[in-house]
Amino acid sequence: TACFILSLACEDVNMSHPVLFYRKRIKLPWTTPHSRTQFLSYYLSMDDLTSGFNIGTNYSLSPEFNEMMGFTESEVREMLAYYSTNSPFRHTIDELIEIMKPWYDNYCFAQECYGETTMYNSNMVLYFVKNYILYGKVPRNMIESNIRIDYEKLRMLICKDKEFAHDASIIQTLVSQGYITGELKDGFPAVSIAQPDNFVSLLYYFGMLTISGVHKGKTKLTIPNQVVQEQLYTYLLNTYNEADLSFSSYEKDELASKLAYDGKWKSYFDYIADCLHRYASQRDKQKGEFFVHGFTLAMTAQNRFYRPISEADTQEGYADIFLCPMLEIYPDMEYSYIIELKYAKYKDPDSRIEELRLEAIAQADRYADTEKVKSAVGSTQLHKVVVVYKGMEMRVCEEIGLN
C-alpha cells in the first residue's frame, strides 16, 4: 500500500513537507491514478492476513497526497510548452488541453481537495504527447490499450453488482444518474465486498470513480473522464454479450458511420431499441428508466465518432445525451445529435407518451440554443431527436427539426 511504501522511503525525508517528499521520492512519471489500486490491494491483503500490519498508516485518502499520482494541469502545460519548442505543433497549448481534459483529467483523491487541483492520468498524457510528437496530429484512438483494467476483474465487479438485492444496481445507477453516493472505506474484508459502501470504495480504488463533492451528507462520486467511461460501458456491454445478446461489431460500425456521415439516425436508434428489447430481463424491467437510459448511453459510448455527454434533466432543459462530434479526429464529419430520451412506465396511459414527447421537444430546442452546443457542433449539421420508451418498447423516435 501507499503506507507500506511510504514507511520505507520516509526515513530521511521530513514528512511535514509532503509536497517536497513526493516530488523527490515518490512521484514517478509512469505513476497513474490506477496505481492506487495496487497500493490498496496490498494493504487489504495484509490487513486481512495479519493483525500485525495494523501498526501501519493508510495515507490513501489523505489530502497531503492528493497530487501524488498523475499530473496537474500546470505540469501538463509545462510539458507541452517544452515539446512545442523542439517539435512541430499544429495546435496551441490551450487547444491541446481542451482536447485532453475530458479524456484524462478530473481525478480527486481526497474529500478536502474537491474543488481545488484535479489530476490528469499521467499514462494517458504521455501516450497522447508521444503520438502527437511522432505523427503531428491528435491520436485517432484516445485510449492506450495498456491502460485498460483487467477484463476479468471488472467483469467480476459487474457480475457481483448484478447480484445485489438493491432496487437498482450501483453501476446501473451510476451510468443512468451520473453519480452515486457512499462513504469511502480505508479498508474492508474481502468477504464484505457486497456491502454497498465497500463496493463503491472498491470502484473508487480501481480508478473507476472520482470524488465530486458531497450530496446529502455523503461523498458524491462520478465517472472521472471519457477513458474510464469507455472502459466501464464496454465491459458492461460485454456482460450483456455473455448473457446471449449478440452485438455485431460490423453492424454497429456501419450504423455508426452512417450516423456520422449520412445523417441516418433512425436505423441507429432502432438497432439500440431492438438490442434493449431482446436483452431486458425481468430484473432490468423493474429498474425501468435506469436501465433504458444506461443501456442507451452505453451503446452510444461505443460510437467512435462521438463523445457522448449525458446531462441531468433540469429546468434549464439539458439533453439526456449530446453526441459531441470528434472533429479533432474526424474533421470531415457532417452530423451531430441531441437525443432527448424519455421514459413512461408500463402502467402509464398512452397520453403520457404524448406529454413526454412535447416535453422532450421543448428541452431539446432549449439545449440546442446554448453556447455549449453551438461551439461543439462546429461545421456539422445538428439533428435533434426525441426518443420515448414505454417500458422496454420504443414508442417514439422522431426528429424535431434541423439546425
Side-chain angles (χ1 to χ4, degrees):
T1 69
C3 60
F4 178 72
I5 291 177
L6 294 180
S7 68
L8 294 179
C10 289
E11 293 179 3
D12 61 345
V13 179
N14 185 351
M15 280 298 293
S16 65
H17 296 83
V19 174
L20 176 63
F21 166 73
Y22 84 78
R23 293 280 185 200
K24 290 189 175 181
R25 296 303 181 98
I26 296 296
K27 190 169 184 179
L28 304 175
W30 55 83
T31 57
T32 73
H34 298 299
S35 301
R36 290 184 175 236
T37 304
Q38 300 171 351
F39 291 168
L40 180 78
S41 62
Y42 183 87
Y43 176 82
L44 292 176
S45 299
M46 291 298 294
D47 195 38
D48 279 350
L49 293 174
T50 173
S51 60
F53 195 68
N54 60 19
I55 61 174
T57 302
N58 188 341
Y59 288 105
S60 298
L61 301 175
S62 298
E64 294 88 351
F65 296 96
N66 180 59
E67 298 179 24
M68 186 175 78
M69 300 295 180
F71 295 144
T72 64
E73 183 167 313
S74 63
E75 290 170 336
V76 176
R77 287 180 176 275
E78 182 181 353
M79 183 190 305
L80 293 173
Y82 170 79
Y83 285 112
S84 68
T85 63
N86 51 45
S87 302
F89 271 35
R90 299 181 182 179
H91 299 76
T92 66
I93 291 176
D94 285 343
E95 288 172 337
L96 290 176
I97 289 292
E98 185 178 357
I99 293 171
M100 296 165 69
K101 193 175 185 66
W103 287 90
Y104 309 145
D105 189 24
N106 202 36
Y107 290 98
C108 175
F109 298 113
Q111 182 70 63
E112 297 86 345
C113 297
Y114 174 71
E116 300 175 6
T117 302
T118 56
M119 303 303 295
Y120 282 71
N121 184 313
S122 52
N123 262 7
M124 295 311 307
V125 169
L126 296 175
Y127 162 81
F128 181 96
V129 173
K130 178 190 71 175
N131 280 272
Y132 189 82
I133 292 173
L134 286 175
Y135 306 111
K137 57 185 179 181
V138 175
R140 182 174 289 267
N141 188 348
M142 294 289 287
I143 304 177
E144 183 188 24
S145 58
N146 291 336
I147 200 68
R148 299 180 188 278
I149 291 178
D150 181 75
Y151 170 69
E152 288 301 320
K153 292 180 181 177
L154 191 53
R155 186 178 68 85
M156 177 273 292
L157 294 181
I158 293 174
C159 290
K160 174 62 68 174
D161 186 48
K162 288 182 176 180
E163 297 173 7
F164 288 174
H166 308 146
D167 291 336
S169 74
I170 290 173
I171 292 179
Q172 200 71 265
T173 301
L174 172 66
V175 170
S176 178
Q177 184 174 261
Y179 71 90
I180 52 177
T181 60
E183 293 299 326
L184 293 177
K185 303 294 185 180
D186 289 334
F188 49 86
V191 294
S192 302
I193 187 177
Q195 294 181 12
D197 281 341
N198 292 346
F199 188 75
V200 168
S201 298
L202 190 62
L203 289 175
Y204 165 78
Y205 288 117
F206 262 119
M208 309 305 288
L209 298 174
T210 188
I211 296 172
S212 295
V214 177
H215 181 74
K216 295 184 177 180
K218 288 190 173 185
T219 302
K220 181 179 180 180
L221 300 117
T222 59
I223 299 173
N225 49 48
Q226 290 295 124
V227 168
V228 176
Q229 177 177 287
E230 195 274 350
Q231 289 184 80
L232 187 61
Y233 292 170
T234 297
Y235 294 135
L236 191 60
L237 289 178
N238 281 340
T239 65
Y240 298 158
N241 270 331
E242 292 171 3
D244 297 326
L245 174 63
S246 176
F247 296 112
S248 167
S249 296
Y250 177 80
E251 184 178 5
K252 278 199 302 181
D253 288 345
E254 284 295 300
L255 290 171
S257 180
K258 290 178 180 179
L259 183 74
Y261 288 95
D262 301 328
K264 303 294 185 181
W265 53 269
K266 185 66 166 59
S267 57
Y268 184 80
F269 290 102
D270 282 344
Y271 175 76
I272 293 177
D274 180 60
C275 290
L276 185 151
H277 183 73
R278 284 190 289 124
Y279 169 73
S281 65
Q282 186 59 40
R283 182 177 175 83
D284 293 318
K285 293 175 183 178
Q286 292 173 356
K287 297 173 185 175
E289 186 173 7
F290 274 147
F291 172 71
V292 170
H293 185 276
F295 188 93
T296 303
L297 187 56
M299 290 290 280
T300 56
Q302 304 303 299
N303 191 321
R304 60 191 173 94
F305 300 104
Y306 298 96
R307 179 167 66 90
I309 301 175
S310 180
E311 306 259 15
D313 210 3
T314 69
Q315 292 182 351
E316 286 74 26
Y318 291 123
D320 272 344
I321 303 173
F322 171 41
L323 295 184
C324 181
M326 299 280 289
L327 292 172
E328 61 274 10
I329 300 176
Y330 306 100
D332 58 340
M333 282 179 59
E334 297 187 25
Y335 299 95
S336 53
Y337 298 86
I338 285 176
I339 299 94
E340 191 63 48
L341 180 64
K342 295 295 181 182
Y343 178 84
K345 297 178 180 178
Y346 285 103
K347 63 182 179 180
D348 288 340
D350 286 345
S351 59
R352 178 59 178 159
I353 296 175
E354 179 62 15
E355 292 174 6
L356 291 172
R357 189 184 74 86
L358 295 176
E359 182 181 316
I361 290 173
Q363 290 177 337
D365 282 336
R366 287 199 299 271
Y367 192 47
D369 198 41
T370 63
E371 288 302 317
K372 179 177 183 178
V373 171
K374 288 179 179 179
S375 62
V377 298
S379 58
T380 63
Q381 187 178 62
L382 178 66
H383 288 256
K384 296 173 289 185
V385 178
V386 169
V387 176
V388 182
Y389 278 83
K390 185 176 183 184
M392 299 295 110
E393 180 184 356
M394 186 172 69
R395 300 288 291 272
V396 176
C397 183
E398 66 181 45
E399 187 176 6
I400 60 173
L402 293 173
N403 274 22

